[in-house]
């Protein structure tokens, strides 16, 4: 069951329920009635907060972005605050019981052409992730390009961690790429 505390506002309860359900089961597979049931709000209350499922999807992506970026930045600091911190930070995420890949890549795959605002939300998220990666690097020529290359490797590791028997191979490959990119800039 979704953690929807009594103290949370109806909007917060709906967002938490949608977050858990959309991320775990997929957006198309999750109907509004299920979100309403999990959040414990009345149907009228739901529609006062979100006029449509599309509005809820975009709010979910904003909510996911805030949560994931806060976790990512914190994890990078906990693991050393440099480029070498990327692989162990992602290994931590991949090992979590609820890991289902990147909510933004999954959402684009499910809805991209049908809901272009999802693609824009994914672009913003990936831009912010790339900026966080760039901040790990010493200022030098080619920093932005190196950060984009490493962000691409991160996306690849995220996808591979979903289908490999163990995410360790994806983490190992990402660590190798991160080290190579970092060395090439030294």
């Amino acid at each position: 069951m979704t953690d929807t505390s009594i103290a949370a506002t109806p909007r917060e309860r709906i967002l938490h329920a949608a977050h858990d359900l959309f991320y775990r089961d997929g957006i198309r597979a999750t109907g509004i009635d299920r979100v309403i049931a999990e959040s414990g709000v009345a149907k009228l209350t739901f529609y006062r907060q979100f006029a449509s499922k599309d509005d809820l999807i975009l709010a979910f992506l904003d909510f996911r972005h805030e949560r994931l970026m806060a976790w990512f930045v914190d994890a990078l600091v906990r693991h050393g605050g440099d480029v070498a911190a990327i692989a162990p930070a992602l290994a931590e995420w991949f090992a979590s019981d609820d890991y289902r890949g990147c909510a933004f890549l999954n959402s684009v795959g499910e809805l991209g052409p049908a809901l272009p605002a999802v693609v824009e939300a994914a672009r913003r998220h990936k831009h912010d992730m790339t900026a966080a990666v760039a901040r790990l690097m010493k200022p030098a020529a080619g920093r932005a390009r190196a950060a984009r290359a490493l962000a691409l490797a991160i996306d690849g590791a995220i996808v591979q961690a979903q289908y490999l028997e163990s995410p360790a191979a994806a983490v190992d490959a990402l660590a190798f790429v991160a080290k190579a990119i970092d060395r090439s800039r030294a």
Side-chain angles (χ1 to χ4, degrees):
M1 183 89 173
T2 303
D3 178 20
T4 53
S5 72
I6 304 292
T9 67
R11 182 178 182 83
E12 290 167 337
R13 293 192 341 249
I14 294 165
L15 269 175
H16 281 270
H19 175 273
D20 294 351
L21 292 167
F22 287 170
Y23 184 64
R24 184 185 68 221
D25 300 333
I27 294 171
R28 287 183 189 252
T30 303
I32 292 300
D33 289 339
R34 189 156 173 225
V35 174
I36 290 168
E38 289 286 321
S39 64
V41 301
K43 192 173 268 197
L44 182 60
T45 301
F46 174 86
Y47 284 107
R48 283 184 181 147
Q49 301 298 317
F50 300 98
S52 68
K53 186 174 181 182
D54 288 354
D55 290 342
L56 179 60
I57 292 165
L58 297 177
F60 150 69
L61 290 172
D62 287 343
F63 181 68
R64 178 72 182 180
H65 174 72
E66 290 172 20
R67 287 180 64 173
L68 189 62
M69 287 305 300
W71 170 83
F72 185 60
V73 170
D74 178 66
L76 292 172
V77 170
R78 283 187 284 107
H79 290 285
D82 59 9
V83 171
I86 294 170
L90 288 180
E92 183 181 304
W93 181 30
F94 298 164
S96 67
D97 289 338
D98 65 344
Y99 178 72
R100 293 263 301 126
C102 175
F104 295 88
L105 295 176
N106 296 345
S107 297
V108 167
E110 278 194 76
L111 302 168
L115 188 57
V118 167
V119 175
E120 185 53 38
R123 278 190 195 114
R124 283 190 310 269
H125 173 72
K126 295 303 180 180
H127 176 270
D128 289 354
M129 291 286 291
T130 303
V133 168
R135 287 191 296 274
L136 301 173
M137 300 174 173
K138 293 181 176 101
R143 178 180 177 181
R145 184 177 183 202
R148 286 191 307 273
L150 193 45
L152 181 65
I154 289 169
D155 281 346
I158 289 169
V159 171
Q160 280 196 344
Q162 288 181 274
Y163 67 80
L164 295 176
E165 287 182 32
S166 166
V171 171
D172 183 59
L174 179 59
F176 177 82
V177 170
K179 188 174 185 178
I181 288 173
D182 202 35
R183 253 195 329 253
S184 74
R185 302 186 68 252

